[in-house]
Amino acid sequence: MLYSDSLNPCQANNNFSATQFDVVLTPSNNSLSFSVVGVSTISGNVTIDLVVFAYGLRVYEHNLNPCDSDLTGLCPMNEGQINLPPSNLEIPADALSQVPGIAYTVPDLDAKVQVYFNNTDTGTSAACVEAELSNGKTVDQKGVAWTVAVVSGLALVASAITSGLGHSNTAAHVAAMALSLFGYFQAQAFIGMTAVDLPPIVASWTQNFQWSMGIIQVGFIQNIATWYQRSTGGTPSTLLSSLGTISVEVQKRAVEPMVYLMDRAANGLQRQALQARTNAGGSSGSDTSNTVTIHGIQRVGFRDGIEVTNIFLTGYIFFVVFVMFVVLGVLIFKLFCELLVKMGKMKGDKFQDFRNGWTTVLKGILFRIVLIGFPQMVVLCFWEFTRNDSSAEMVLAVFTIFTMLAILAWASSKVIRLARRSIAMHKNPAY
């Protein structure tokens, strides 16, 4: 089954827009069901050109005359509302045979249909709309995200337990591998955050790793972020709550002439200031038109159900909460160990290194957390500089960047001093 439930304009000065669009192709019974409600400013007879793109390639073209196909409301077209009630068309078997079977099973199908309404008298295009096709299958799975999150979390816990047992050398190696694994997950998330055209399967796959950037949709967290922004003079976006009146186009693969790409690159080089890459009309995320194109970090937040103006605070809150839970976990484990020793349930030499130097262990854990969260906060804070969602959020971004830089600089200088001392004493920095 192939279906589409959104219709977007694909040319300037479009004379047709749809407020409802539902099309379902069911190959098992050779039927095409559709329901369209739209507004047209086109009058007169038109011909319709259908162009199908698959994975960036033009794979099918068909010319249709509405007067020959008994399409009510399109022969001729009149200005005003067009209402095509739920209907079914029988598709010839030879036409369906041109659709490869893989189109019904491959996840995140990269296909779209462009429909051109051409004036019969002049032959010019009066309107162009396009519909993204989907088969309902995707690689964006919550199970994958939870699995990789648990794996990385267990690696960090294993490092902490090993360190508490006194095997500091082994713990350091495990921690280094855990940091590398977490860095790989963040690198995957970075790809999905780039404001470039991505194949749908790439955008969906990288969505599985956005948790590593703190982009996690939780209802009360969104309420807190919205409240904080309003309280500090910001204007929350209403993109998700306006989907009934605004068509949101998630940027995917584009088929563009090379000349246009070169012109766009040349124009981009002329921009010296740091600007927000959006057509969403400023920090509020509103747009005067009925179509909003989102890309990059906006695309990531939208797919997770997070308003554009809440993305920064969502990532920030989850990072702070993670730090607090780690600190509380270490304190609770310390108290638990001491309680078991006093009750005689645990030997006095168990976790002795941790119990005697738990502050040093906690300091090392916090340094690793800052190192893990540094890429996340750098991306989100610098993105906030382009958004300016509120003055308080800008202050948070500046404070966080300089604080983390200072912490990492101090830790780096400490490591360098220890390495120099080790070289002087053992002729090897590893000691």
Side-chain angles (χ1 to χ4, degrees), residues 55 101-111 133-141 199-202 204-205:
Y55 295 93
I102 194 174
Y104 304 108
T105 57
V106 65
D108 297 292
L109 181 66
D110 186 2
L133 300 179
S134 175
N135 54 21
K137 296 177 173 58
T138 179
V139 295
D140 180 9
Q141 301 292 334
I201 194 169
V202 175
S204 295
W205 173 251

Side-chain angles (χ1 to χ4, degrees), residues 299-373:
R299 173 178 58 204
V300 168
F302 178 80
R303 292 187 58 151
D304 269 350
I306 301 175
E307 288 286 359
V308 174
T309 51
N310 287 349
I311 294 176
F312 167 72
L313 271 182
T314 298
Y316 192 91
I317 290 173
F318 271 103
F319 177 73
V320 173
V321 169
F322 179 67
V323 173
M324 293 174 59
F325 270 101
V326 168
V327 173
L328 288 175
V330 172
L331 292 176
I332 292 174
F333 186 69
K334 159 69 174 174
L335 295 176
F336 184 70
C337 289
E338 296 296 341
L339 181 62
L340 290 180
V341 170
K342 289 183 178 181
M343 295 175 60
K345 301 292 184 179
M346 187 174 70
K347 295 181 179 180
D349 58 348
K350 203 70 170 178
F351 292 106
Q352 187 172 8
D353 289 343
F354 169 76
R355 289 161 48 213
N356 294 335
W358 68 274
T359 54
T360 303
V361 173
L362 179 59
K363 188 189 303 182
I365 292 175
L366 291 178
F367 277 131
R368 291 187 178 96
I369 291 176
V370 172
L371 184 60
I372 289 175

Side-chain angles (χ1 to χ4, degrees), residues 16 34-38 40 44-46 48 64-78 80-89 117:
F16 179 82
F34 61 90
S35 174
V36 180
V37 177
S40 169
N45 292 327
V46 296
I48 299 176
L64 177 67
N65 190 331
C67 297
D68 297 336
S69 303
D70 193 24
L71 293 177
T72 305
L74 298 181
C75 179
M77 291 189 69
N78 298 309
Q81 183 168 337
I82 295 178
N83 190 352
L84 299 180
S87 306
N88 290 288
L89 291 178
F117 295 86

Side-chain angles (χ1 to χ4, degrees), residues 128-284:
C128 174
V129 291
E130 66 179 17
E132 302 285 346
L133 300 179
S134 175
N135 54 21
K137 296 177 173 58
T138 179
V139 295
D140 180 9
Q141 301 292 334
K142 295 299 182 183
V144 175
W146 276 102
T147 300
V148 295
V150 169
V151 168
S152 60
L154 289 177
L156 294 174
V157 171
S159 170
I161 294 176
T162 306
S163 177
L165 292 174
H167 307 290
S168 57
N169 192 25
T170 303
H173 283 79
V174 174
M177 297 301 293
L179 290 176
S180 299
L181 180 64
F182 202 90
Y184 169 76
F185 293 155
Q186 288 182 327
Q188 296 285 304
F190 289 161
I191 296 174
M193 286 182 162
T194 53
V196 297
D197 301 323
L198 293 176
I201 194 169
V202 175
S204 295
W205 173 251
T206 56
Q207 202 72 21
N208 292 318
F209 302 94
Q210 296 303 331
W211 59 267
S212 65
M213 300 295 292
I215 309 299
I216 306 171
Q217 203 282 336
V218 178
F220 74 92
I221 295 293
Q222 301 309 304
N223 295 334
I224 293 174
T226 301
W227 166 81
Y228 183 83
Q229 187 180 23
R230 285 176 175 165
S231 302
T232 54
T235 304
S237 64
T238 57
L239 191 60
L240 292 175
S241 59
S242 304
L243 294 179
T245 57
I246 294 178
S247 177
V248 178
E249 183 178 0
V250 180
Q251 186 189 47
K252 298 180 180 178
R253 183 195 301 271
V255 183
E256 300 172 307
M258 183 59 67
V259 175
Y260 172 71
L261 290 174
M262 294 176 65
D263 290 342
R264 188 176 67 178
N267 293 333
L269 292 175
Q270 296 175 1
R271 300 189 185 98
Q272 299 297 326
L274 193 62
Q275 299 177 353
R277 301 185 63 181
T278 176
N279 68 339
S283 61
S284 64

Side-chain angles (χ1 to χ4, degrees), residues 272-294:
Q272 299 297 326
L274 193 62
Q275 299 177 353
R277 301 185 63 181
T278 176
N279 68 339
S283 61
S284 64
S286 60
D287 194 351
T288 56
S289 66
N290 289 328
T291 302
V292 176
T293 302
I294 57 176

Side-chain angles (χ1 to χ4, degrees), residues 183 186 190 213 370-380 404:
Q186 288 182 327
F190 289 161
M213 300 295 292
V370 172
L371 184 60
I372 289 175
F374 185 69
Q376 167 194 347
M377 298 313 301
V378 165
V379 170
L380 293 179
M404 297 184 80

